[in-house]
Amino acid sequence: MKAVWLGEGDDVLLVADHRKIPDDLRRYQTSQPGEYRIWIHAVDLTIPYSQLDALYPRLRDAHFAFIEEAGKAGCPFLRYHSRGSTRYVAEVTGEPVPDPPRVEGAAHRYSHYKIAPGSGGGLWPLWRDQGHASIGWNELGDLTGLTREEFGERVAAVREKFPQTTARALKQVWTFSRLRPGDRIVANAGTRKVLGIGTVTGNYELVDDTTAEHRHRIPVRWDDVEPKAVEKPGWQRTIIKLKATEFNDIATGATTGGEPPLAPEADPDAFSDLLDAIEAGGFYFPPEIVANYLLALQTKRFVILTGISGTGKTQLALQVAKYFVAEAESAAEAGHARAPAAEREVGSVVVTVKPSMVKYGRMVVPADLATEFLSTREERSDSRWLPIELPDGQQLDIVAHTREGTNLLYALFRGAAREWLQGQPIGARLQLSRLEEPEPVGRLRFRALDDATSAVAPRSTYALIPVRPDWNDSTGLFGFHNPLTGHYTTRAFLRLALDAIAEAEAAREADRDPEPFFAILDEMNLARVEHYFSDVLSAMESGEPIELHEDDAVAAGETPDGIAIPKELRLPDNLFVVGTVNVDETTYMFSPKVLDRAFTIEFNDVALEGYGVDEGAYGLDESSHGLDASPDDRGRTSTPLALEAFSGPLRSSRRPGASDWQALGELDARHRHLVVALNQLLAKDNRHFGYRVANEIGRFVTLAHEQSGGSPEAAAAALDLAVLQKVLPKLHGTQQELEDILVGLLTLASGRGDDGAIADDELLETAPTPELTPPLPRTALKLQRMLRRVRQQGFVSFIE
């Protein structure tokens, strides 16, 4: 980097701020703005040496602006130009040239961050106009001069008061407080829009105003406030550190205009924070189990957890679901203020804005509120005025109408009220509550449920659904429509799916990733899965909708409960289905077509010798999947699937395809050759798998490779788990049917060569040793158990 260079011949190279260059001198410009990474407005100027004394006074401001910025950025100015050139420029200008090492803040090596000004950029006007950036969690107090240990103590105190808050969310405030003058900031709204780019001009402070919602602040000079389009799926947290090249690409607009989405920002704490949250809930699972579960969800969205009773299958599903709920709430807390307790509503109901409401300017008041309003109407009067209060505090009167012979209350919006209703996005959720004043009618209050100031508890993003033995169709999941009463009886699965759809729509509107929703079907095989679950399997695989009913009134929400149920349901990508399974004489076995569409994870290993030694309800040891570790060894580096590059959000944006199978071969051709060999062996007995399973194996392995920092060991372990969970579950039958197949598979998985047969005394009795390193050790151990079982009992299935 040269600020001034006295070159050969008659040219001088000068670096300056292009915004301050006079228009008639731009012909000397030789590069576009943004070429130099320390400052997005830097450009080269090539000036004839003979004209320097005449031209430089007009370029002085542009040159000095660059030098000052270079100093704030910590640019090693003096190492890249001679002091002679500095003296020459000083003589020409008659003023000393600024020396960057003496500029305040030059000793600090600058960093780059993106910081979200609240949800959807709601705080951006305040940031821009007042010249600062801010963040929430005032409960942490002033962090000036605090050590990391002292900050940890404050985090612990805050988490005692707010148990659902994760340490990871609070650590963002620490990162924010460490910003220094010269650091560069990108202010973003969601994952697709940059609002502004600025430079930190002062140190962190906790402002004295105790009524302020975000007291943690830093002063910022916003250098560029032109909106820019980006594609950043990983921008889910409030503050994320950026690479210098990434910042420069954003600042120069290199990521705009149809660029493909960038990979999610790696967060080295995300996976560790998840394990911490599980242990904080009183449970312990080996990191490989948790990593395996996360990868399976991202690959398929339908996971079966099987094994003996009491090994923690349901709790793993619940704890992971609760973690993502806490992450979403903590992210909101970092950018929003919590509503005062006095604002909390009691007895309110929630409605979702539907197209018919916006089109016709009317809505059905849910029965819980309508009953109160109907009781105050005059006799034989079907219409009257109904006072309402909008979210901005505006009080209006609308018409309330009751149809003859019904108890439905229709709210008819006119004028300003209709304009407000038509301005609401489809899918938005409104909280309706009844105020006692004015008497005797009362007032209907509307509030935006997703507003940062809303005090209503967020909808649940998971549901534990016990499967009943009498489920013989899909009504246990989706409910049913009664054509005689016109009422639709909903079920927990349907309500969760509708909430997931609403969240997906809201996320698209806000340019962010949707929160994950989890349907946990407990004791899934108490009823025949094919009878009640076939619609879900088909919809998840094909993407086609599920038909629910054909009643227009139900679809429009014109029912006593005011809940609109669509005629057909398309399962969203942010809905994950998890089934827990125990096998005994009271349960049903899964058919191959169900297992083919799921990842099946086993929980059969119990280590009582380590149980209770450490805190946690489950003392599973690392040997549960063939790893060589003692029960007391709970180190999180004992498995290559540590997922240190897991980005935090849980995504499953597309179904696995041929590109995933191709990526597996590009990752390591030996992996694909091994899968091909397995399929060829199974094809001899017409038990081979299809393209779908191959694609899913490819996706699972490549995800593991990416989220484990590119570790080849992680890819190998993931291939082993993928074969174990996608290929073996469909194997069940008699000794005559399966023995030869199991012997061949064990030969291949153990790497022992084609010796024709494996006797009982040759089976692998322990986990792989350094002398014997099977290509698929976990698969080999499962095959060993299945082969022994089929020889002892004459029949075997994967799910024991």
Side-chain angles (χ1 to χ4, degrees):
M1 183 71 64
K2 300 180 179 68
V4 176
W5 176 66
L6 301 181
E8 298 179 1
D10 296 328
D11 291 334
V12 173
L13 180 65
L14 181 74
V15 185
D17 178 354
H18 79 93
R19 298 173 300 179
K20 296 182 179 295
I21 299 174
D23 291 339
D24 63 322
L25 296 183
R26 290 187 180 276
R27 65 180 181 272
Y28 297 108
Q29 184 174 322
T30 60
S31 69
Q32 296 299 315
E35 178 177 340
Y36 290 92
R37 298 189 185 280
I38 70 160
W39 198 30
I40 63 175
H41 302 297
V43 294
D44 288 344
L45 298 176
T46 302
I47 303 174
Y49 185 85
S50 59
Q51 299 184 36
L52 181 63
D53 56 346
L55 295 179
Y56 189 83
R58 301 184 59 202
L59 295 169
R60 178 186 57 195
D61 291 344
H63 183 214
F64 280 17
F66 164 77
I67 294 176
E68 181 179 0
E69 191 67 25
K72 291 181 179 179
C75 177
F77 188 99
L78 292 178
R79 294 207 306 267
Y80 289 88
H81 75 283
S82 69
R83 292 184 180 275
S85 64
T86 304
R87 287 194 298 270
Y88 179 82
V89 172
E91 291 173 2
V92 171
T93 62
E95 299 178 11
V97 175
D99 190 350
R102 298 194 187 101
V103 176
E104 183 180 357
H108 170 61
R109 179 166 182 163
Y110 71 102
S111 300
H112 308 84
Y113 296 87
K114 85 90 195 169
I115 307 179
S119 177
L123 296 175
W124 170 241
L126 195 64
W127 285 21
R128 179 195 59 210
D129 298 342
Q130 296 188 3
H132 71 250
S134 61
I135 198 168
W137 285 112
N138 299 337
E139 293 86 350
L140 289 168
D142 192 352
L143 306 183
T144 304
L146 222 61
T147 66
R148 194 59 183 262
E149 291 74 18
E150 292 169 336
F151 177 74
E153 294 174 358
R154 293 196 184 180
V155 167
V158 170
R159 294 189 67 192
E160 285 185 8
K161 187 176 181 180
F162 303 99
Q164 295 300 319
T165 302
T166 64
R168 175 184 171 206
L170 297 174
K171 288 176 184 176
Q172 295 182 103
V173 187
W174 173 265
T175 302
F176 181 86
S177 71
R178 302 300 100 179
L179 268 62
R180 294 292 180 267
D183 286 346
R184 306 305 307 280
I185 293 177
V186 173
N188 68 296
T191 61
R192 298 181 181 178
K193 187 175 183 180
V194 166
L195 300 170
I197 298 173
T199 305
V200 178
T201 59
N203 293 319
Y204 155 86
E205 65 173 343
L206 184 75
V207 297
D208 294 333
D209 184 4
T210 57
T211 64
E213 298 176 350
H214 303 82
R215 296 177 59 197
H216 301 285
R217 293 185 186 177
I218 51 171
V220 177
R221 180 186 68 244
W222 295 105
D223 305 306
D224 186 348
V225 293
E226 287 296 322
K228 295 176 174 59
V230 295
E231 287 287 350
K232 294 292 185 180
W235 279 10
Q236 298 300 304
R237 303 175 66 185
T238 299
I239 180 168
I240 296 175
K241 190 170 184 179
L242 305 177
K243 296 180 180 178
T245 53
E246 185 179 12
F247 171 84
N248 189 70
D249 287 343
I250 295 170
T252 58
T255 59
T256 62
E259 291 288 324
L262 301 179
E265 182 74 17
D267 180 1
D269 294 329
F271 186 63
S272 178
D273 285 342
L274 172 56
L275 297 177
D276 288 342
I278 292 174
E279 291 188 14
F283 300 91
Y284 171 77
F285 297 94
E288 181 164 291
I289 288 270
V290 181
N292 186 12
Y293 179 60
L294 289 178
L295 293 170
L297 288 172
Q298 294 174 80
T299 301
K300 190 61 179 175
R301 293 198 295 129
F302 176 34
V303 176
I304 295 174
L305 305 179
T306 180
I308 64 174
S309 179
T311 49
K313 301 182 293 295
T314 303
Q315 285 300 331
L316 174 62
L318 281 173
Q319 294 301 316
V320 171
K322 291 177 181 179
Y323 168 78
F324 284 105
V325 172
E327 281 295 283
E329 292 176 352
S330 296
E333 289 291 357
H336 306 309
R338 286 181 294 279
E343 291 296 323
R344 298 188 183 276
E345 298 288 352
V346 179
S348 60
V349 296
V350 175
V351 298
T352 302
V353 177
K354 301 298 180 183
S356 61
M357 294 165 53
V358 175
K359 181 178 180 180
Y360 299 112
R362 70 178 185 183
M363 65 181 298
V364 178
V365 179
D368 289 347
L369 294 177
T371 301
E372 296 294 332
F373 285 110
L374 288 170
S375 65
T376 62
R377 68 178 176 176
E378 299 177 5
E379 287 189 41
R380 296 181 298 279
S381 174
D382 292 333
S383 300
R384 63 173 174 77
W385 292 106
L386 176 64
I388 67 169
E389 179 180 314
L390 300 182
D392 61 2
Q394 186 178 184
Q395 296 185 359
L396 303 168
D397 288 330
I398 63 174
V399 175
H401 176 72
T402 305
R403 286 184 180 177
E404 184 177 357
T406 73
N407 285 324
L408 295 180
L409 181 67
Y410 292 85
L412 307 179
F413 291 73
R414 296 293 183 267
R418 184 163 186 168
E419 291 180 6
W420 169 80
L421 182 62
Q422 292 178 333
Q424 302 306 303
I426 304 300
R429 300 195 305 155
L430 303 175
Q431 174 205 5
L432 277 63
S433 58
R434 182 178 184 271
L435 304 180
E436 297 296 333
E437 298 293 336
E439 295 182 351
V441 178
R443 187 182 305 278
L444 186 64
R445 169 184 281 180
F446 291 82
R447 298 184 68 181
L449 187 60
D450 298 319
D451 196 320
T453 62
S454 175
V456 180
R459 58 188 147 206
S460 177
T461 57
Y462 68 91
L464 180 62
I465 305 170
V467 173
R468 292 174 55 90
D470 60 352
W471 284 9
N472 53 24
D473 58 30
S474 62
T475 57
L477 295 177
F478 299 111
F480 60 92
H481 173 238
N482 187 332
L484 297 179
T485 64
H487 180 70
Y488 194 102
T489 301
T490 62
R491 293 288 185 260
F493 185 92
L494 175 61
R495 293 192 293 269
L496 187 76
L498 293 176
D499 281 347
I501 292 171
E503 163 61 15
E505 293 173 349
R508 282 193 294 270
E509 188 74 21
D511 288 332
R512 58 174 174 80
D513 279 344
E515 298 173 22
F517 282 63
F518 300 88
I520 305 169
L521 303 180
D522 200 26
E523 302 289 356
M524 190 177 187
N525 58 334
L526 279 179
R528 289 193 179 276
V529 177
E530 298 83 0
H531 289 182
Y532 72 86
F533 201 63
S534 58
D535 288 344
V536 176
L537 283 176
S538 177
M540 293 184 75
E541 193 61 38
S542 67
E544 293 300 310
I546 301 169
E547 293 185 4
L548 299 178
H549 64 87
E550 296 181 352
D551 192 312
D552 292 334
V554 172
E558 297 180 354
T559 58
D561 57 11
I563 299 177
I565 305 297
K567 292 184 178 181
E568 56 183 26
L569 178 73
R570 194 181 300 273
L571 298 180
D573 290 334
N574 62 325
L575 177 63
F576 299 85
V577 181
V578 184
T580 66
V581 175
N582 291 313
V583 177
D584 56 35
E585 64 278 2
T586 67
T587 61
Y588 296 93
M589 284 301 300
F590 287 90
S591 66
K593 58 179 168 289
V594 174
L595 295 172
D596 189 60
R597 289 164 169 79
F599 266 83
T600 305
I601 302 177
E602 275 196 306
F603 284 68
N604 277 334
D605 297 275
V606 178
L608 291 179
E609 61 271 29
Y611 178 65
V613 173
D614 296 326
E615 290 186 1
Y618 294 92
L620 300 180
D621 65 273
E622 302 293 350
S623 63
S624 59
H625 279 270
L627 299 178
D628 185 13
S630 68
D632 293 335
D633 180 11
R634 296 186 177 179
R636 293 181 180 174
T637 60
S638 58
T639 174
L641 289 176
L643 299 192
E644 64 270 17
F646 175 61
S647 61
L650 195 63
R651 304 182 183 87
S652 181
S653 57
R654 65 175 178 86
R655 291 186 296 275
S659 60
D660 296 296
W661 175 246
Q662 181 180 357
L664 178 65
E666 295 172 352
L667 180 63
D668 191 327
R670 293 172 298 177
H671 295 336
R672 190 159 66 181
H673 292 159
L674 184 56
V675 177
V676 171
L678 279 168
N679 211 32
Q680 290 173 343
L681 192 155
L682 291 167
K684 296 177 182 179
D685 288 272
N686 200 33
R687 291 180 178 268
H688 53 298
F689 49 86
Y691 301 113
R692 175 173 55 219
V693 171
N695 294 338
E696 290 168 2
I697 291 175
R699 169 72 71 84
F700 187 89
V701 175
T702 52
L703 280 175
H705 180 260
E706 294 169 1
Q707 297 180 15
S708 297
S711 164
E713 293 80 12
L719 178 65
D720 191 4
L721 289 169
V723 171
L724 174 66
Q725 297 162 177
K726 289 300 301 180
V727 177
L728 299 194
K730 292 189 294 181
L731 296 179
H732 69 280
T734 65
Q735 182 174 3
Q736 185 178 4
E737 293 174 311
L738 288 183
E739 182 172 13
D740 290 345
I741 295 175
L742 293 176
V743 168
L745 290 174
L746 180 55
T747 298
L748 183 60
S750 62
R752 291 193 171 202
D754 187 10
D755 54 9
I758 294 181
D760 287 339
D761 57 359
E762 293 178 322
L763 295 178
L764 298 174
E765 296 295 342
T766 61
T769 64
E771 292 76 24
L772 176 63
T773 55
L776 303 173
R778 300 158 181 80
T779 301
L781 286 170
K782 178 63 178 180
L783 287 167
Q784 154 196 287
R785 293 195 294 269
M786 293 179 70
L787 185 55
R788 180 186 293 112
R789 191 181 185 96
V790 78
R791 286 173 173 171
Q792 291 173 347
Q793 301 182 7
F795 182 89
V796 72
S797 66
F798 177 86
I799 299 179
E800 303 176 33

